[in-house]
Amino acid sequence: AAVERAEATLTRAAEILSSTTSSAWLTFTLAAGILLREGFEAVLLLIALLGVIRASGSNKAEHWLHGGWIAAVALGFGFWIFSDWLTIITGAQRELVEGLTSLLAVAVLLYIGFWLHSRTEITRWKAFIDGKVKTALEGGNLFGIATIAFIVVFREAFETVLFLRAVSLESQPGSSFAMGAGVLSAFALVLIFAWMLLRFSGHVPIRKLFMISSVLM
């Protein structure tokens, strides 16, 4: 009798959980919005770095810059796989891992929203990065160029994985397609945005773009 009552309670819990999960469209929108937001800033900072390097006329440094951000994207992808593996192997501790991930995502989001992504701090961050790039170029430190590009992009990749994992934990079991579609769509838009910036950077209102980005977040 106790086992039957426990099974009935678990069945009821499963029904409640299934009725409160997010829809596929919401998962798609959240995934696309997260990647757009983080990819948007990564592209802006990378193009700023690229501008400093091209002004110096160092083609070799530009190759190292690309190597740095590509390595960051690859490591971010690896971090996503690791986070999925960690969720699977924890077994009975799965709910604890999900809860901690969600809390960490909220903490990072608040931290970014109230400090890191204010216009003043972004200006300081850009000035700091520009200074580091110029110092590395003057000293011929090409590995330093790659490291700066890696840090700029991996910070955004880490945040993206953290937020996407929090969304996936609260989504329906079959919503992985919706999340993948959102990520791919946003990635395509980020590539188009990067191309437009490289082609028309002199006419792009960067200040307004940062304001729109903050509102989106």
Side-chain angles (χ1 to χ4, degrees), residues 92-106:
Q93 303 300 320
R94 178 185 175 90
E95 295 295 333
L96 179 61
V97 173
E98 292 179 358
L100 290 175
T101 301
S102 297
L103 287 175
L104 183 58
V106 170

Side-chain angles (χ1 to χ4, degrees), residues 31-93:
I34 289 167
L35 189 62
L36 275 176
R37 174 62 185 83
E38 303 302 331
F40 167 78
E41 182 168 327
V43 166
L44 284 179
L45 291 173
L46 279 177
I47 288 179
L49 299 181
L50 193 60
V52 176
I53 290 175
R54 286 182 174 177
S56 70
S58 177
N59 293 328
K60 186 176 291 186
E62 187 173 332
H63 296 323
W64 280 81
L65 174 75
H66 291 311
W69 72 259
I70 290 173
V73 170
L75 189 60
F77 183 72
F79 178 53
W80 169 262
I81 295 175
F82 171 77
S83 65
D84 186 47
W85 171 78
L86 181 64
T87 303
I88 293 174
I89 68 167
T90 48
Q93 303 300 320

Side-chain angles (χ1 to χ4, degrees), residues 60-214:
K60 186 176 291 186
E62 187 173 332
H63 296 323
W64 280 81
L65 174 75
H66 291 311
W69 72 259
I70 290 173
V73 170
L75 189 60
F77 183 72
F79 178 53
W80 169 262
I81 295 175
F82 171 77
S83 65
D84 186 47
W85 171 78
L86 181 64
T87 303
I88 293 174
I89 68 167
T90 48
Q93 303 300 320
R94 178 185 175 90
E95 295 295 333
L96 179 61
V97 173
E98 292 179 358
L100 290 175
T101 301
S102 297
L103 287 175
L104 183 58
V106 170
V108 171
L109 183 60
L110 290 174
Y111 172 77
I112 295 167
F114 287 110
W115 184 79
L116 194 57
H117 288 284
S118 63
R119 287 194 299 274
T120 301
E121 292 303 332
I122 283 183
T123 302
R124 292 177 183 173
W125 172 243
K126 182 178 178 300
F128 170 76
I129 292 298
D130 286 350
K132 289 292 185 182
V133 169
K134 290 177 181 177
T135 301
L137 286 172
E138 291 171 358
N141 185 5
L142 298 181
F143 182 76
I145 297 293
T147 302
I148 294 169
F150 175 86
I151 293 173
V152 165
V153 175
F154 184 71
R155 191 193 74 177
E156 309 300 336
F158 176 80
E159 294 168 5
T160 300
V161 170
L162 193 60
F163 296 152
L164 287 178
R165 179 56 61 194
V167 171
S168 69
L169 293 176
E170 297 300 325
S171 301
Q172 294 180 1
S175 61
S176 57
F177 175 79
M179 175 171 287
V183 168
L184 291 177
S185 300
F187 187 72
L189 288 176
V190 168
L191 290 178
I192 294 173
F193 174 71
W195 176 80
M196 291 177 62
L197 271 182
L198 288 172
R199 189 180 179 98
F200 309 108
S201 59
H203 307 285
V204 175
I206 299 297
R207 181 185 178 89
K208 289 183 179 180
L209 287 177
F210 268 119
M211 291 178 65
I212 294 171
S213 176
S214 298

